[in-house]
């Protein structure tokens, strides 16, 4: 009925040669402008965010300067603010979580993509997506009621007994702390790693596998030496997605980390993370300097994420030049 | 078609009536601690005065002070009174002051988990301050065992638990510690969030309670209301008269009555460590913050009407929600002060 007037524009060089007005009339130009606006809004939001964080933390930036990153006292009453314990806690918990989640997640993804029957793989994928959608506060509750008592009663004493000579596993076993937060974060980010890595592995062309097999490789050799390297960039992508989530996670971390701004070599020690302290103190921060220091912490978290993301890009570029597969077939 | 138009007209007319009905809407923001009480009050008051609707957002005391100072809400609410700088900032911005009106009372209670001890423990001022300063580290320290004769307290390390997020509960606790310990006052101070010398931070009363329950040898503080509603065991605290008092609604009101005699005209008073034999020492008022001048007379009258009701009939709803009532002397003084709202 009303659609009879629609014409399908031909692709290729012809589209470029048409006049602006004909493109406008046919909708291409409109579509281009609208989607450009959408894309531009991403940049706009990022710029606005940085601007607001920068602007909102002026007081604390001027008062503390670079000391903000070097001192570890956080005292809202006497208005002394230092970010070091929070940066430390954020990095340590994220590292612990990735140390646990990366091998587990990639292992599971390899099984699901390469070895498991399609039906099993699809069913499990459903559950993994479900796990990824569980709100973080639920993971926090699980952490408090299951992980924390387990840590205090069994895991921490066992670690102390076997590896207690390392400074990592010393001190009293409270149950909460860096290690517990890292474990809960690992549980939260594993679904991301599995889900994305599985998709990437599944999209590796069949020819690659068949070529490897026809050269006499075993199934595992073809998976480990051909398919996984081919999908390397995507797998790294899934890890950095997980890292981003781990760095910014608030609710689940604050429930199990112990919320104490200290720097300790022991993973058993209670700690604090940037996102957790912002969430905890922002609403009741009465002094301007306190509020602005919290905003500056937000800026620090942003910069931290930015640096780690940049680092991630470099890593992908560096390894894909050296490796066999980069994704172009 | 005609029928549809008629229907729409009726809907519009109804909407118009409803709109006109709730024409006066007053907004407030602030303290989370009295939120259950406030929402009950605003609800009951709305039932009596259908044309007035009071919206309250429990965004925290700090947020309440900020928003009322910026003028984005009609009134604020706080668990700790505004300090002189904040009052001055308000005065400078608006050209008139802001008044504090106590609404109800709350208290903090010491909660603990000591293996093998089921009796209610007695705590002295020095014991509580010493534990929170990290100076008393074992449960069998003489400062704790002294007033608990006959109990076999273990030689275990005390795990201190405090609130991690800024809260009125912490304000009351640290206000108390600042009064009973000079060292606390100079080293830590009082506030909604402080630089804790020792301990684990847990988010909210429920997390503090949960952490204490799950951690052997722990010691912390929770709101009285939370402890009552969840049947949590808690200890007695020695007050300034030397008596060990268990917190309940009566002993909290007694603390307010003890302080009422010396109540300053602006109601900014701390009643921790209050005088009186039956007074519970870790108690506090919570306040409404009402601007001294309103440009809108109907709003002014509505707020004054509500405060008047809250001080009279409203007080009857408090005990069902485990808040302690205001003493009569304070109510009388507040009614007088209400005349200063113009």
């Amino acid at each position: 009925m009303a659609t009879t007037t629609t014409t399908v524009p031909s692709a290729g060089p012809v589209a470029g040669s048409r006049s602006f007005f004909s493109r406008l009339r046919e909708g291409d130009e409109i579509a281009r402008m609208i989607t450009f606006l959408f894309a531009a809004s991403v940049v706009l939001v990022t710029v606005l965010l940085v601007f607001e964080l920068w602007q909102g933390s002026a007081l604390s930036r001027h008062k503390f300067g670079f000391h903000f990153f070097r001192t570890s006292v956080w005292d809202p009453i006497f208005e002394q603010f230092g970010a070091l314990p929070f940066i430390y806690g954020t990095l340590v918990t994220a590292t612990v979580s990735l140390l646990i989640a990366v091998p587990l997640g990639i292992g599971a993804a390899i099984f699901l993509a390469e070895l498991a029957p399609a039906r099993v793989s699809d069913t499990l994928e459903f559950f993994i997506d479900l796990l990824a959608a569980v709100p973080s506060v639920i993971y926090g509750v699980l952490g408090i009621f299951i992980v924390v008592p387990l840590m205090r009663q069994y895991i921490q004493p066992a670690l102390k007994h076997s590896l207690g000579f390392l400074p990592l596993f010393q001190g009293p076993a409270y149950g909460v702390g860096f290690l517990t937060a890292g474990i809960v974060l690992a549980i939260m980010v594993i679904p991301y790693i599995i889900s994305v890595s599985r998709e990437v592995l599944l999209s590796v062309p069949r020819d690659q596998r068949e070529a490897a097999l026809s050269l006499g490789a075993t199934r595992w050799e073809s998976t480990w030496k051909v398919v996984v390297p081919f999908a390397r960039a995507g797998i790294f992508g899934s890890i950095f997605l997980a890292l981003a989530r781990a760095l910014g996670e608030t609710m689940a971390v604050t429930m199990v980390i112990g919320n104490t701004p200290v720097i300790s070599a022991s993973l058993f020690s209670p700690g604090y993370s940037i996102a957790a302290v912002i969430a905890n103190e922002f609403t009741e921060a009465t002094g301007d300097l306190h509020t602005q220091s919290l905003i500056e912490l937000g800026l620090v978290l942003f910069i931290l994420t930015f640096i780690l993301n940049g680092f991630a890009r470099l890593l992908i570029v560096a390894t894909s030049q050296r490796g066999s597969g980069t994704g172009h077939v | 078609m005609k029928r549809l138009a008629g229907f729409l007209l009726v809907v519009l007319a109804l909407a118009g009536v409803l709109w006109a009905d709730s024409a006066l809407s007053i907004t407030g923001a602030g303290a989370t601690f009295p939120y259950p009480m406030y929402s009950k009050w605003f609800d009951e008051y709305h039932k009596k005065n259908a044309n007035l609707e009071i919206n309250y957002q429990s965004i925290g005391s700090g947020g309440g002070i900020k928003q009322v100072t910026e003028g984005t809400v009609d009134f604020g609410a706080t668990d700790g009174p505004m300090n002189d700088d904040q009052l001055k900032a308000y005065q400078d911005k608006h050209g008139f002051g802001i008044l504090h009106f106590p609404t109800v009372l709350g208290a903090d209670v010491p909660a603990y988990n000591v293996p093998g001890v089921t009796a209610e423990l007695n705590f002295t001022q020095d014991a509580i301050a010493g534990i929170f300063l990290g100076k008393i580290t074992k449960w069998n320290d003489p400062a704790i065992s002294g007033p608990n004769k006959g109990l076999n307290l273990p030689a275990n390390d005390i795990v201190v638990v405090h609130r991690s997020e800024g809260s009125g509960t912490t304000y009351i606790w640290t206000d108390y510690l600042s009064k009973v310990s000079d060292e606390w006052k100079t080293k830590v101070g009082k506030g909604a969030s402080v630089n804790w010398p020792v301990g684990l931070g847990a988010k909210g009363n429920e997390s503090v309670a949960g952490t204490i329950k799950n951690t052997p040898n722990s010691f912390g503080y929770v709101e009285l209301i939370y402890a009552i509603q969840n049947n949590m065991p808690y200890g007695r605290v020695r007050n300034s008269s030397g008596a060990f008092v268990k917190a309940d609604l009566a002993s909290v009101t007694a603390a307010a009555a003890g302080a009422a005699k010396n109540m300053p005209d602006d109601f900014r008073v701390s009643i921790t460590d209050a005088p009186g034999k039956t007074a519970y020492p870790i108690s506090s008022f919570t306040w409404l913050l009402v601007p001294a001048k309103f440009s809108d007379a109907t709003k002014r009258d509505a707020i004054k009407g509500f405060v008047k009701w809250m001080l009279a009939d409203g007080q009857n709803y408090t005990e069902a929600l485990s808040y302690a009532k205001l003493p009569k002397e304070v109510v009388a003084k507040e009614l007088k002060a209400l005349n200063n709202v113009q």
Side-chain angles (χ1 to χ4, degrees):
Chain A
M1 283 175 31
T3 52
T4 44
T5 52
T6 311
T7 55
V8 180
S10 49
V14 189
S17 64
R18 282 176 297 140
S19 75
F20 176 77
F21 287 106
S22 81
R23 277 183 291 145
L24 191 64
R25 201 174 53 240
E26 284 163 11
D28 274 12
E29 196 58 27
I30 295 173
R32 197 188 72 85
M33 286 193 292
I34 290 177
T35 48
F36 170 76
L37 273 183
F38 291 165
S41 68
V42 176
V43 180
L44 192 75
V45 168
T46 314
V47 170
L48 265 180
L49 198 68
V50 174
F51 177 76
E52 263 306 308
L53 290 173
W54 183 259
Q55 198 77 340
S57 59
L59 256 182
S60 102
R61 276 187 293 111
H62 289 152
K63 171 123 197 248
F64 302 117
F66 198 67
H67 276 285
F68 193 69
F69 300 94
R70 286 202 311 229
T71 53
S72 43
V73 176
W74 186 266
D75 192 332
I77 307 298
F78 296 102
E79 306 215 302
Q80 287 302 316
F81 300 104
L84 200 56
F86 305 104
I87 298 173
Y88 178 79
T90 305
L91 290 176
V92 167
T93 50
T95 309
V96 170
S97 77
L98 285 192
L99 284 179
I100 300 169
V102 167
L104 283 180
I106 293 178
I110 291 175
F111 172 76
L112 291 178
E114 296 295 310
L115 308 172
R119 193 183 295 171
V120 175
S121 176
D122 287 344
T123 319
L124 279 178
E125 177 65 16
F126 173 75
F127 285 103
I128 291 160
D129 288 345
L130 210 63
L131 276 184
V134 171
S136 56
V137 64
I138 309 275
Y139 284 108
V141 170
L142 276 178
I144 284 190
F145 289 113
I146 297 170
V147 183
V148 170
L150 270 180
M151 293 294 288
R152 187 179 49 242
Q153 280 166 0
Y154 303 106
I155 301 174
Q156 290 183 340
L159 280 173
K160 225 174 179 172
H161 193 70
S162 54
L163 298 165
F165 57 89
L166 292 171
L168 284 178
F169 305 110
Q170 288 173 357
Y174 293 118
V176 297
F178 291 122
L179 185 60
T180 313
I183 289 174
V184 171
L185 276 177
I187 298 171
M188 293 177 68
V189 299
I190 282 175
Y192 289 80
I193 298 183
I194 299 180
S195 189
V196 176
S197 298
R198 173 182 170 267
E199 287 303 321
V200 176
L201 289 169
L202 281 177
S203 66
V204 172
R206 268 190 88 77
D207 318 359
Q208 296 279 333
R209 296 183 183 83
E210 281 165 5
L213 291 174
S214 70
L215 288 172
T218 62
R219 182 90 180 260
W220 175 248
E221 279 170 339
S222 109
T223 302
W224 189 243
K225 294 195 171 148
V226 177
V227 179
V228 173
F230 194 93
R232 189 194 282 132
I235 292 175
F236 272 127
S238 80
I239 294 172
F240 291 118
L241 191 69
L243 176 64
R245 171 119 207 228
L247 287 175
E249 178 48 45
T250 309
M251 204 55 206
V253 169
T254 193
M255 289 166 90
V256 296
I257 198 171
N259 302 311
T260 311
V262 293
I263 295 175
S264 163
S266 171
L267 292 178
F268 292 173
S269 160
Y272 223 147
S273 78
I274 296 178
V277 71
I278 295 175
N280 275 330
E281 295 191 357
F282 200 77
T283 48
E284 292 280 346
T286 38
D288 281 343
L289 196 59
H290 188 190
T291 315
Q292 300 219 1
S293 297
L294 288 168
I295 296 174
E296 189 172 353
L297 273 184
L299 187 67
V300 171
L301 185 57
F302 190 92
I303 295 170
L304 213 60
T305 319
F306 187 81
I307 292 173
L308 287 172
N309 255 318
F311 183 68
R313 298 266 149 168
L314 283 180
L315 200 70
I316 290 175
V317 170
T319 54
S320 56
Q321 274 166 355
R322 189 179 46 128
S324 53
T326 50
H328 31 91
V329 188
Chain B
M1 203 52 198
K2 235 180 194 168
R3 193 179 283 175
L4 185 69
F7 176 73
L8 278 178
L9 213 68
V10 170
V11 168
L12 274 176
L14 258 177
V17 168
L18 286 174
W19 179 253
D21 214 27
S22 60
L24 190 54
S25 153
I26 290 176
T27 53
T32 45
F33 154 70
Y35 175 66
M37 186 71 259
Y38 288 178
S39 66
K40 174 80 181 160
W41 276 344
F42 297 145
D43 191 42
E44 289 295 327
Y45 197 64
H46 178 63
K47 279 184 200 157
K48 293 189 171 61
N49 302 274
N51 58 350
L52 173 65
E53 204 167 302
I54 304 179
N55 297 307
Y56 181 77
Q57 293 158 353
S58 57
I59 56 170
S61 301
I65 292 172
K66 232 171 264 170
Q67 293 223 356
V68 79
T69 305
E70 271 161 29
T72 47
V73 291
D74 298 314
F75 67 92
T78 179
D79 291 332
M82 285 169 74
N83 61 32
D84 293 339
D85 290 344
Q86 288 164 339
L87 285 179
K88 192 176 171 313
Y90 189 92
Q91 179 84 31
D92 289 349
K93 189 169 163 82
H94 296 270
F96 50 84
I98 188 160
L99 302 169
H100 287 67
F101 287 98
T103 53
V104 279
L105 291 148
D108 288 1
V109 296
Y112 48 84
N113 173 355
V114 190
V117 175
T118 47
E120 274 170 18
L121 291 178
N122 292 326
F123 294 99
T124 60
Q125 294 92 324
D126 290 345
I128 295 179
I131 293 172
F132 265 76
L133 279 165
K135 300 205 142 166
I136 296 175
T137 56
K138 302 257 187 223
W139 273 107
N140 65 347
D141 191 288
I144 306 175
S145 58
N148 294 293
K149 293 264 182 293
L151 288 178
N152 192 15
L153 290 165
N156 297 335
D157 284 332
I158 301 173
V159 179
V160 172
V161 185
H162 54 75
R163 290 281 282 273
S164 62
E165 85 284 23
S167 72
T169 315
T170 296
Y171 182 89
I172 299 171
W173 189 256
T174 53
D175 182 46
Y176 171 72
L177 288 176
S178 298
K179 279 198 191 161
V180 299
S181 157
D182 282 335
E183 188 179 351
W184 184 275
K185 193 175 174 182
T186 49
K187 262 177 73 178
V188 186
K190 62 176 173 180
S193 24
V194 298
N195 183 19
W196 298 99
V198 285
L200 305 174
K203 194 171 165 64
N205 280 303
E206 52 293 337
S207 279
V208 171
T211 306
I212 291 172
K213 205 172 153 194
N214 290 329
T215 314
N217 304 305
S218 55
F219 179 80
Y221 59 93
V222 292
E223 248 163 39
L224 171 64
I225 298 169
Y226 185 85
I228 291 178
Q229 289 174 349
N230 293 281
N231 291 319
M232 264 181 83
Y234 53 90
R236 283 185 286 259
V237 181
R238 191 165 75 183
N239 66 15
S240 57
S241 314
F244 286 95
V245 179
K246 186 167 184 193
D248 53 28
L249 302 185
S251 63
V252 174
T253 303
K261 291 169 200 113
N262 304 316
M263 175 70 85
D265 288 334
D266 62 2
F267 297 101
R268 289 192 301 145
V269 65
S270 150
I271 58 165
T272 50
D273 206 30
K277 257 201 129 31
T278 55
Y280 180 71
I282 320 179
S283 312
S284 175
F285 287 113
T286 179
W287 294 264
L288 283 188
L289 301 168
V290 181
K293 264 205 187 92
F294 281 89
S295 52
D296 182 346
T298 45
K299 254 186 193 171
R300 177 197 65 203
D301 293 341
I303 288 183
K304 285 174 85 165
F306 168 75
V307 175
K308 229 174 241 166
W309 175 86
M310 179 272 290
L311 291 170
D313 296 354
Q315 292 292 315
N316 298 331
Y317 294 99
T318 53
E319 290 186 347
L321 291 174
S322 316
Y323 291 87
K325 268 183 188 188
L326 294 172
K328 284 196 185 65
E329 304 90 317
V330 176
V331 169
K333 203 172 162 91
E334 283 190 63
L335 285 172
K336 237 187 236 165
L338 201 54
N339 295 327
N340 298 333
V341 178
Q342 285 158 356

